[in-house]
Amino acid sequence: MRNGIKYFLLIVVVSIISTAAFQYYQNFTSARAYNNFLDSSGLISALHYEASDEFKNVLDFSEISREEFENKLNKIVSNSKEAYEIINNTESSLTLKEKELLSLATSYWLQGLELFEVSIITLIDNPNSEKIQQSIAQSISDLSIGDRSYSEFLFLIKQNAIMEGIFLPVLYDIEYVGLEDNSFRFADLLVEKAKSSTGGLFLVRNLAISGAEFKPAPIAITEEEYSVLLNDKTELQIVLTNEGNVAAYDVVILILVTDEYGETIYEEQSKINSIGPQESRIFYSDAINIEPGVLHEWFIKLEEVEKEENLNDNLFSVFGFIPPEG
């Protein structure tokens, strides 16, 4: 009987110790998971704080080049993707309202930023795109949901920290667009602002003939601006300029030389592989002989590139003659 009581007491003691140990392990595991969540929250907050600050600069559409604009957007989206991966890799067994809200915020922020990037680049490349405002409005709406979710997360986690005496990492106040109640109006304003930007965001395709000079150099220029040439083979040095912000490839140049009677005495067509944005290239025509005492015109034409608007500077002409013999 006495042995039975001892055995029973031993079982009770072991059970109590096991329960306490299990409870301790659970508490330890939960505390570790929560601390890891806090660390992740701090990283996510820092990433989105940087991204949201840069996003405000992007929305300004100030004096900024196309390359800088795209680099800023890429960095913003990259930060958001990194934050999204961090929250998805946190302890899956951790079920907290705070985690749910932060996960919601990172998801909607990423969704909104990716859609905004695609939409705004589409707008820049095709200013007359249909329904682009609708796409931008949806991105603004997603960002607003993310802002609201993060605001609720911040309020809740700070409230719980005060009640339970938990030390929190640095958690920033973050707002991409705020609690926007009219995303379509916001989108309309953004589209108007983007279109009025003078910083070179929109694709500009414009080739120009900047000038042309005879080689050898003329010995004189008449009042009519005709070049008086040496009695030698004459070539033309032509300056071609890409005044746009998009590289031009396979640029075709046509040169036609006619005399004062309207007869074509020479024709040339050549192709330039590429001319970069704001770059100038020198092109030399073939050297030809012309008849002395007869006025000749060198007519130059650059074939237009796709969607080139200003074609007036694609044409150029110069006149020259060799004085008559004797």
Side-chain angles (χ1 to χ4, degrees):
M1 181 68 178
R2 186 176 295 176
N3 287 338
I5 293 173
K6 286 182 179 180
Y7 182 72
F8 175 74
L9 290 174
L10 180 62
I11 292 176
V12 171
V13 171
V14 170
S15 177
I16 292 172
I17 292 174
S18 298
T19 302
F22 180 72
Q23 187 65 43
Y24 174 80
Y25 176 76
Q26 276 193 321
N27 292 340
F28 173 78
T29 302
S30 296
R32 184 177 63 181
Y34 189 71
N35 286 332
N36 289 339
F37 170 68
L38 290 180
D39 290 340
S40 297
S41 299
L43 291 174
I44 291 169
S45 182
L47 285 167
H48 274 291
Y49 180 72
E50 178 186 347
S52 62
D53 190 55
E54 196 64 75
F55 188 70
K56 291 179 177 63
N57 294 331
V58 166
L59 293 185
D60 186 47
F61 297 107
S62 57
E63 296 296 325
I64 185 173
S65 69
R66 171 66 178 266
E67 183 179 3
E68 290 173 315
F69 184 79
E70 291 191 358
N71 287 341
K72 286 179 183 291
L73 276 178
N74 287 337
K75 176 62 176 174
I76 291 167
V77 173
S78 177
N79 276 20
S80 186
K81 286 180 178 178
E82 185 177 349
Y84 180 78
E85 291 299 322
I86 291 173
I87 192 64
N88 280 347
N89 290 328
T90 56
E91 183 63 48
S92 58
S93 63
L94 189 64
T95 55
L96 293 171
K97 182 65 174 178
E98 298 98 306
K99 182 188 175 186
E100 181 184 339
L101 288 168
L102 185 58
S103 180
L104 199 63
T106 55
S107 296
Y108 272 98
W109 277 337
L110 178 58
Q111 184 175 304
L113 289 170
E114 287 182 326
L115 181 57
F116 179 84
E117 181 181 33
V118 171
S119 302
I120 208 70
I121 294 300
T122 300
L123 170 67
I124 291 171
D125 289 347
N126 301 283
N128 298 319
S129 299
E130 294 183 1
K131 298 183 179 179
I132 197 64
Q133 280 94 334
Q134 182 177 343
S135 180
I136 295 175
Q138 182 59 57
S139 72
I140 297 302
S141 178
D142 289 343
L143 289 172
S144 183
I145 294 174
D147 287 351
R148 184 164 57 252
S149 300
Y150 181 81
S151 177
E152 292 176 9
F153 152 79
L154 208 57
F155 173 79
L156 185 60
I157 200 168
K158 288 182 177 179
Q159 184 183 58
N160 291 341
I162 293 172
M163 292 173 58
E164 299 177 20
I166 298 173
F167 179 77
L168 293 178
V170 176
L171 297 172
Y172 297 95
D173 291 323
I174 299 171
E175 187 176 273
Y176 280 91
V177 295
L179 306 181
E180 181 55 47
D181 59 354
N182 193 330
S183 56
F184 280 94
R185 182 174 178 276
F186 198 126
D188 287 340
L189 292 174
L190 283 181
V191 170
E192 289 178 14
K193 196 170 186 180
K195 288 183 176 181
S196 63
S197 168
T198 58
L201 291 180
F202 290 84
L203 297 182
V204 178
R205 296 177 173 87
N206 185 31
L207 297 178
I209 302 170
S210 304
E213 295 181 355
F214 287 108
K215 297 294 178 181
I219 56 179
I221 304 291
T222 68
E223 291 182 358
E224 296 87 354
E225 296 188 355
Y226 299 157
S227 295
V228 182
L229 307 174
L230 294 172
N231 193 359
D232 199 354
K233 279 191 173 183
T234 302
E235 66 179 3
L236 204 58
Q237 175 184 289
I238 306 165
V239 181
L240 310 177
T241 303
N242 182 351
E243 296 182 349
N245 56 14
V246 184
Y249 299 96
D250 297 328
V251 179
V252 177
I253 181 171
L254 305 171
I255 300 173
L256 186 68
V257 183
T258 58
D259 61 23
E260 60 187 53
Y261 308 112
E263 296 292 329
T264 298
I265 67 163
Y266 177 77
E267 188 173 354
E268 177 183 352
Q269 177 174 308
S270 298
K271 183 179 290 186
I272 295 116
N273 291 334
S274 66
I275 308 177
Q278 302 301 311
E279 180 186 3
S280 292
R281 297 281 298 273
I282 302 295
F283 177 83
Y284 290 92
S285 72
D286 291 339
I288 62 172
N289 289 312
I290 60 173
E291 181 182 350
V294 179
L295 182 66
H296 289 75
E297 177 186 9
W298 278 255
F299 176 77
I300 312 150
K301 178 184 178 182
L302 278 179
E303 290 287 356
E304 65 182 275
V305 295
E306 184 181 5
K307 295 183 180 179
E308 184 174 4
E309 295 182 3
N310 182 16
L311 301 179
N312 294 330
D313 50 12
N314 288 35
L315 305 175
F316 198 89
S317 63
V318 290
F319 295 83
F321 68 94
I322 297 171
E325 298 176 359

